[in-house]
Amino acid sequence: MRAWLHRQEDQYATHPEIGTDLVILLDFVKVIDAFLAFILLTIAYSIADHFNWRQNELFSAGVILITLTLVRLFTDRMENRFWAKILAMVIWGYAFLLVCLSLLNLIDIWQRFFQGIDFQSGQVRFSLLQVNRAFFLVLALYWLAVNLRVFLHFWLTIKSGWTSAAQILVHRLGNIFLFSACVVIVLHYLELDLTVFALFSGALGLGLGFGLQKIFANLVSGFIILADKSIKPGDVIQPGDKYGWINFLWSRYVSVITRNGTEHLIPNENLITGEVINWSYRHNLVRVKVPVGVANGSDLATARDLMLQTAADTNRVLQNPKPSCRLTGFGDNAVNLELRVWINDPRNGIGAVESDLRWGIWQRFRDYGIEIPIPNGTCTSSLSLK
């Protein structure tokens, strides 16, 4: 088991995007020995209980193993070592008490004492012993759910081969299922009738309908975005006047990083109800248009060749599809041309390509004496830069 976990650790190291889960994986490696020993000991305890054999020593060993697991799990990564030692002493103290009671055959008395302290609220009734066991059950289930979530994330990212949107959708649904299952198991262990939560569910639904409707709308919109694959991590989008690429898709918002490094957190609902330009929806090919006006009487064939030569010498401009130059109209003192080129990296911005093309056209027009008119009717060999 340890060798398998170390192999997964090596694969995690080659994928920095999931490196945050590596810490949880390393903690899992630390506690796996004691936890597996506890599971095997539980099987032996069940066999002894079935044949009415002596169980005190098995119970004591199980307490020690689960205590060792809890101490390693909760105290190893605590930054404040003083409180880590206090927590470890409390856990070991409680475990020592249970071991002594078990070896002295007093554990039944201890359990009956806690069983006699019960609580009742309406039709719900549970004892302090159930609460005590449910507390450790919650810890175990939560720890198990967190680690299963990590392994699910690992499998989706490295092994599945699915699209990023599908990975995020399945990961979120898996998280909801795991933690919901933990809650249901604990409630079932406490023998609580789920119908007692009907009033709470009604109040929650009323709250979602009024005060929390925006939050709920963003949560639902997040699942819709992931399900229809209209937007996925890495896409270059333009919602309104913001142009950038998607960094993360969260439950409530989408993180969009613009070209100047600013990170915008856009609510999911805005992407569903508003107009969004996705520059890389089906592919990354984007056509860039640069309009250029030349003075009447200029050699249009030379101007066209110079513009195409500029496109051929500009970085990021693709040669397949080929750049083209179109004559788009005649003005009072200018002939309107338009250079059309293709790029396949819209994430790096479009303005930089347009600027490089304008610089190249301006320099070549100046060298060949081709004039560019300005609005007052005079001519110049320069272009306004965007």
Side-chain angles (χ1 to χ4, degrees):
M1 186 70 178
R2 179 179 295 275
W4 180 82
L5 285 172
H6 281 300
R7 288 197 298 271
Q8 311 313 310
E9 179 184 348
D10 294 337
Q11 291 182 323
Y12 264 94
T14 60
H15 292 75
E17 69 274 11
I18 52 177
T20 53
D21 290 333
L22 183 59
V23 176
I24 301 178
L25 182 65
L26 293 177
D27 289 340
F28 185 77
V29 172
K30 292 179 181 179
V31 303
I32 189 61
D33 291 341
F35 185 73
L36 285 178
F38 172 75
I39 296 297
L40 296 175
L41 199 64
T42 302
I43 299 175
Y45 183 88
S46 301
I47 295 174
D49 181 65
H50 178 75
F51 291 102
N52 293 323
W53 294 341
R54 182 177 174 87
Q55 308 164 16
N56 294 13
E57 289 77 7
L58 291 175
F59 179 85
S60 301
V63 170
I64 294 175
L65 289 174
I66 197 63
T67 303
L68 182 61
T69 301
L70 294 175
V71 170
R72 288 179 176 177
L73 184 63
F74 292 108
T75 64
D76 280 0
R77 302 200 61 84
M78 290 181 63
E79 296 182 359
N80 192 322
R81 299 314 302 169
F82 172 77
W83 288 110
K85 292 179 180 179
I86 295 297
L87 179 60
M89 291 175 59
V90 171
I91 297 175
W92 278 112
Y94 185 72
F96 179 74
L97 175 62
L98 292 180
V99 169
C100 292
L101 291 174
S102 177
L103 295 178
L104 296 175
N105 293 322
L106 298 177
I107 193 67
D108 291 337
I109 299 177
W110 175 266
Q111 292 179 351
R112 285 196 298 269
F113 172 75
F114 278 95
Q115 185 70 31
I117 304 176
D118 54 5
F119 307 92
Q120 184 171 357
S121 176
Q123 299 180 352
V124 179
R125 185 185 184 91
F126 50 87
S127 65
L128 189 59
L129 180 63
Q130 287 178 301
V131 175
N132 180 63
R133 291 177 175 175
F135 172 75
F136 291 101
L137 180 62
V138 168
L139 291 180
L141 291 176
Y142 176 78
W143 174 75
L144 183 62
V146 168
N147 285 279
L148 288 177
R149 178 188 62 84
V150 172
F151 287 115
L152 176 62
H153 189 201
F154 166 78
W155 179 81
L156 290 172
T157 306
I158 301 179
K159 303 290 187 180
S160 67
W162 296 350
T163 63
S164 55
Q167 292 175 14
I168 296 176
L169 178 60
V170 174
H171 187 245
R172 288 183 182 175
L173 293 176
N175 289 344
I176 295 175
F177 172 78
L178 287 173
F179 290 106
S180 299
C182 292
V183 173
V184 172
I185 291 174
V186 173
L187 294 178
H188 178 73
Y189 173 78
L190 292 175
E191 298 180 353
L192 296 179
D193 188 0
L194 297 181
T195 58
V196 301
F197 296 97
L199 180 61
F200 172 76
S201 300
L204 179 61
L206 187 63
L208 292 176
F210 290 96
L212 303 178
Q213 58 179 344
K214 285 293 182 182
I215 297 177
F216 187 71
N218 285 317
L219 292 175
V220 174
S221 299
F223 283 103
I224 294 175
I225 290 174
L226 293 173
D228 62 14
K229 302 178 182 179
S230 58
I231 294 175
K232 56 186 180 297
D235 279 357
V236 180
I237 65 173
Q238 185 176 346
D241 58 348
K242 300 178 180 64
Y243 177 92
W245 63 91
I246 297 177
N247 189 27
F248 291 109
L249 287 174
W250 297 108
S251 300
R252 190 180 59 84
Y253 60 84
V254 172
S255 169
V256 177
I257 300 180
T258 60
R259 288 285 297 155
N260 58 10
T262 305
E263 187 169 6
H264 295 268
L265 306 181
I266 302 176
N268 292 328
E269 184 184 10
N270 293 1
L271 301 178
I272 292 293
T273 58
E275 180 179 349
V276 178
I277 300 176
N278 191 337
W279 293 86
S280 54
Y281 177 58
R282 297 189 180 277
H283 50 71
N284 288 324
L285 287 177
V286 175
R287 187 168 69 176
V288 180
K289 300 179 181 180
V290 178
V292 178
V294 298
N296 289 325
S298 299
D299 188 346
L300 296 184
T302 301
R304 179 194 61 194
D305 294 340
L306 293 175
M307 293 172 67
L308 293 177
Q309 184 180 355
T310 300
D313 296 340
T314 301
N315 293 331
R316 297 177 55 196
V317 173
L318 301 178
Q319 299 307 310
N320 186 21
K322 293 182 178 181
S324 62
C325 182
R326 296 287 186 266
L327 196 157
T328 58
F330 299 96
D332 295 336
N333 61 342
V335 178
N336 300 320
L337 303 177
E338 186 176 75
L339 178 62
R340 301 176 180 179
V341 300
W342 292 87
I343 62 174
N344 62 355
D345 55 347
R347 178 171 179 171
N348 294 325
I350 297 177
V353 176
E354 293 178 347
S355 176
D356 292 342
L357 291 172
R358 287 190 174 94
W359 274 111
I361 293 173
W362 174 75
Q363 291 174 350
R364 286 177 170 82
F365 278 14
R366 181 189 59 182
D367 295 340
Y368 283 82
I370 296 179
E371 298 178 337
I372 302 173
I374 58 177
N376 60 8
T378 61
C379 296
T380 182
S381 57
S382 63
L383 284 172
S384 61
L385 299 180
K386 185 175 181 178

